């Protein structure tokens, strides 16, 4: 979704702003713009489409300005046009603002401003902010920002500048992330740390209803009610190399291939093999409350929701908890009866997904213990939960989530084992699970080595209009995840289904042009899955099976088979999902799709 970058310091601002926008491209956007300032005034540039178009527009321009703000816009109010692109300005071109989020009462504010004679230049909700800044300006930009935001309903992360005070940036947040980057006599700001890692590893996250005033030498944080705040600095643990493509053609492929390492990172320092238990420092502060939990609700969206669905089976197997799993966007609107014996565990790569964040806030309001399983260190969900565990998987840049799904599954096993060992899980059960967990990196390598075979299978089927993905039990969410991966990057229609539901409707779709991907591991559901496969084949439907190594009989039955090594039952989904990620990748590649930036999608969904 939308991205914000800002810079004030001794260097030329424009290259830093453009570079920052490029680092945010993965989030998804459809137009871009920037404004740069010095004592002589401001220069604004806006383009439809890629940041590269902004580069073209800027080529050959002499732009010595040392401060500015920039934005990538993911259209919500108004089409992606140059006029709707940020920064927006007031009628005198002296106040500029970039904004992430949605101003819910913009219609009302717009009517009031129009009644005062203001002429609007865009269809956006954001433009009201620039006119309000001009209206309230009394010589101090932060006063105008404060007054403006008191009128605003909705969500915002904003950065504002004015030609009257060219070496000052004022930022504020409610619901949309803002991170300050602290340099040596220079200050940066962004909506996402990836725009900052090249310049500094010292960052500060603003909380909701806070603003910050940045000048080259200092920053000051205060609430929107004007109370000064002192906030601790975070050290970012990513390096710039982590977000480089290296030799891979796409981030998605790079991240699929990183998965052996991702699993190691998720386990590092967390496995006490001899005691058959895990050690999770981030949960330690709340361990007494966690031990008393009777119920756990896993909340998340998209791929993280599928991880949560697998998590339900893991927690049911390893703990005595009653376990529920729910889409965060549904959970937050339910009539909930929660108390301190309920834990609500939010799963989120970004730690900023607005529905997941809102679910956690609702759970906390109602007295539940809130826990987070998050990748981005210092993100809002990580900060707002009572306790949590980080994936430590480095940045995930491909819009289609891959390595974080695998990381979440590993850590769900570790959390469930930690709780389960206080309950009925025995030492030997714990040791057996951990032993197999540590084998996973090698086993994933074996699957990655089959990429050429998976590419051939993708070549055979990529022209199909629709795909069905089937699985049972823990492999039902894996089927959902396989279908999600395929549809989001290849745009082939794909549905995931619990195989037992086949006969209740979807079987009517089966014909020779409708391939099914069947997840058929050697577990308790094996025979039933084989029956489902027979039913599909009897109706001439092509079947691609994901089966365990050595399962010759499946190989003889279906059209195509991808073998994955066998592991502990609770870990099998970690292996089964890898060929599905590669299948989606190669199908999208063969169809010429823009794999890392699929149309209409954003990496971090910060609006409801
Ligand atoms: C799909 C995908 C999305 C995210 C979802 C939640 O490949 O990436 O479905 O999983 O938007 O995002 P996080 O995990 O950041 O809360």
């Amino acid at each position: 979704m939308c991205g914000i970058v800002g810079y004030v310091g001794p260097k030329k601002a424009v290259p830093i702003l453009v570079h920052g926008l490029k680092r945010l491209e993965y989030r998804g956007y459809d137009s871009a713009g920037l404004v740069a300032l010095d004592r002589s005034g401001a220069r604004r540039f806006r383009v439809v489409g890629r940041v590269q178009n902004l580069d073209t527009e800027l080529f050959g321009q002499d732009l010595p300005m040392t401060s500015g703000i920039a934005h990538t816009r993911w259209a919500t109010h108004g089409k992606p046009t140059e006029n709707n692109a940020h920064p927006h300005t007031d009628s005198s071109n002296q106040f500029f603002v970039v904004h992430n989020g949605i101003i819910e009462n913009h219609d009302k504010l717009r009517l009031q401003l129009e009644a005062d004679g203001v002429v609007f230049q865009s269809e956006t909700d954001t433009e009201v902010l620039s006119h309000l800044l001009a209206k309230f300006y009394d010589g101090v930009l932060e006063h105008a920002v404060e007054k403006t935001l008191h009128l605003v309903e909705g969500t915002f992360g904003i950065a504002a500048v004015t030609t009257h005070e060219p070496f000052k940036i004022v930022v504020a947040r409610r619901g949309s992330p803002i991170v300050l980057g602290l340099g040596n006599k220079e200050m940066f700001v962004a909506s996402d740390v990836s725009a900052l890692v090249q310049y500094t590893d010292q960052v500060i996250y603003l909380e909701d209803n806070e603003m910050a005033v940045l000048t080259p030498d200092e920053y000051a944080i205060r609430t929107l009610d004007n109370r000064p705040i002192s906030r601790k600095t975070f050290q970012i643990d990513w390096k710039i190399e982590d977000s480089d493509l290296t030799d891979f053609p796409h981030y998605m492929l790079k991240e699929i291939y990183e998965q052996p390492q991702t699993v190691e990172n998720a386990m590092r320092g967390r496995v006490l093999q001899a005691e058959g238990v895990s050690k999770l420092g981030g949960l330690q502060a709340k361990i007494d409350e966690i031990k008393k939990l009777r119920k756990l609700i896993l909340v998340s969206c998209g791929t993280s929701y599928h991880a949560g669905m697998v998590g339900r089976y893991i927690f049911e197997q390893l703990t005595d908890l009653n376990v529920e799993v729910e889409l965060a966007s549904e959970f937050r609107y339910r009539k909930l009866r929660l108390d301190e014996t309920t834990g609500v565990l939010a799963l989120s790569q970004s730690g900023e997904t607005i529905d997941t964040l809102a679910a956690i806030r609702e759970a906390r309001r109602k007295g539940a213990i809130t826990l987070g399983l998050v990748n981005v260190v210092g993100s809002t969900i990580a900060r707002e939960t009572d306790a949590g565990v980080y994936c430590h998987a480095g940045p995930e840049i491909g819009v289609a989530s891959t390595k974080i799904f695998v990381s979440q599954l590993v850590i769900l096993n570790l959390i469930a084992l930690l709780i389960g060992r206080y309950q009925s899980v025995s030492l030997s059960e714990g040791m057996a699970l951990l032993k197999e967990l540590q084998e996973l990196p090698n086993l994933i390598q074996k699957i990655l080595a089959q990429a050429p075979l998976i590419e051939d299978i993708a070549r055979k089927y990529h022209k199909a209009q629709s795909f069905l993905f089937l699985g049972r039990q823990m492999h039902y969410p894996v089927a959902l995840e396989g279908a999600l991966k395929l549809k989001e990057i290849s745009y082939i229609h794909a549905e995931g289904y619990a195989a037992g539901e086949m006969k209740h409707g979807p079987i009517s779709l089966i014909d020779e042009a409708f391939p099914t991907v069947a997840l058929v591991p050697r577990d308790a559901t094996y025979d039933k899955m084989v029956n489902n496969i027979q039913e599909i084949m009897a109706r001439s439907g092509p079947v691609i099976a994901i089966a365990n190594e050595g399962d010759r009989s499946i190989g003889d039955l279906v059209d195509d088979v991808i073998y994955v090594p066998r592991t502990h039952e609770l870990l099998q989904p970690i292996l089964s999902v890898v060929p599905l990620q590669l299948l989606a990748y190669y199908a999208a590649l063969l169809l010429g799709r823009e794999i890392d930036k699929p149309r209409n999608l954003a990496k971090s969904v910060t609006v409801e």
Side-chain angles (χ1 to χ4, degrees), residues 122-352:
S122 77
E123 305 157 282
T124 64
D125 53 331
T126 302
E127 195 185 335
V128 294
L129 300 178
S130 48
H131 295 294
L132 288 170
L133 291 178
K135 179 172 168 173
F136 292 130
Y137 189 65
D138 62 2
V140 181
L141 181 60
E142 51 272 37
H143 293 172
V145 170
E146 203 180 310
K147 283 187 184 137
T148 297
L149 294 180
H150 276 140
L151 294 182
V152 161
E153 288 162 20
T155 54
F156 52 79
I158 65 156
V161 289
T162 174
T163 50
H164 299 285
E165 301 169 80
F167 307 114
K168 178 193 276 185
I169 302 175
V170 179
V171 294
R173 82 160 264 175
R174 179 186 297 153
S176 268
I178 291 285
V179 195
L180 316 183
L182 315 183
N184 183 13
K185 298 204 177 302
E186 56 184 355
M187 296 289 160
F188 305 83
V189 63
S191 51
D192 178 330
V193 287
S194 5
L196 306 179
V197 278
Q198 164 142 9
Y199 305 107
T200 177
D201 61 356
Q202 298 298 308
V203 301
I204 291 182
Y205 292 88
L206 281 199
E207 301 287 354
D208 275 352
N209 297 313
E210 287 179 0
M211 59 191 281
V213 181
L214 309 180
T215 54
D217 292 322
E218 57 184 11
Y219 67 91
I221 305 177
R222 61 176 73 164
T223 63
L224 290 178
D225 297 331
N226 212 6
R227 270 187 303 111
I229 300 274
S230 101
R231 176 69 31 78
K232 85 169 199 245
T233 309
F234 263 95
Q235 171 137 6
I236 311 175
D237 61 355
W238 298 353
K239 291 181 288 308
I240 186 74
E241 307 84 80
D242 293 339
S243 43
D244 281 343
L245 258 181
T246 56
D247 288 337
F248 286 92
H250 296 100
Y251 282 107
M252 181 179 177
L253 192 64
K254 176 181 182 236
E255 286 156 7
I256 291 172
Y257 272 80
E258 273 171 14
Q259 290 178 123
Q261 187 67 47
T262 305
V263 171
E264 274 168 17
N265 290 345
M267 290 187 305
R268 183 161 301 115
R270 293 170 168 174
V271 171
L272 301 181
Q273 179 62 42
E275 292 161 53
V277 72
S278 52
K279 180 178 145 206
L280 298 165
L283 297 185
Q284 214 42 51
K286 286 276 161 186
I287 197 69
D288 292 335
E289 286 92 328
I290 292 172
K291 280 197 239 173
K292 289 183 198 134
L293 293 179
R294 297 162 61 144
K295 181 168 165 183
L296 185 70
I297 309 177
L298 301 143
V299 292
S300 39
C301 304
T303 291
S304 292
Y305 171 64
H306 298 154
M309 287 178 79
V310 179
R312 171 169 54 193
Y313 294 98
I314 297 171
F315 277 94
E316 278 173 0
Q317 292 290 323
L318 293 178
T319 73
D320 302 338
L321 294 165
N322 290 312
V323 193
E324 286 178 22
V325 56
E326 180 127 7
L327 288 164
S329 52
E330 293 294 323
F331 173 84
R332 56 183 291 201
Y333 295 112
R334 273 180 52 198
K335 190 166 165 57
L336 299 162
R337 289 171 190 82
L338 307 175
D339 60 24
E340 71 288 350
T341 64
T342 303
V344 176
L345 172 59
L347 291 88
S348 178
Q349 187 287 126
S350 60
E352 301 293 350

Side-chain angles (χ1 to χ4, degrees), residues 301-304 347-351 353 356 399-401 408 484-485 488 603 605:
C301 304
T303 291
S304 292
L347 291 88
S348 178
Q349 187 287 126
S350 60
T353 301
T356 311
V399 163
S401 182
Q408 286 167 334
L484 178 63
K485 285 289 87 81
E488 68 182 330
K603 182 66 183 162
V605 181

Side-chain angles (χ1 to χ4, degrees), residues 74 90 94 132 189 223 245 251 260 348 354 375 528 548 591:
W74 188 83
D90 68 308
Q94 289 169 350
L132 288 170
V189 63
T223 63
L245 258 181
Y251 282 107
S348 178
I354 195 86
N375 186 41
K528 294 224 159 51
N548 281 138
L591 290 167

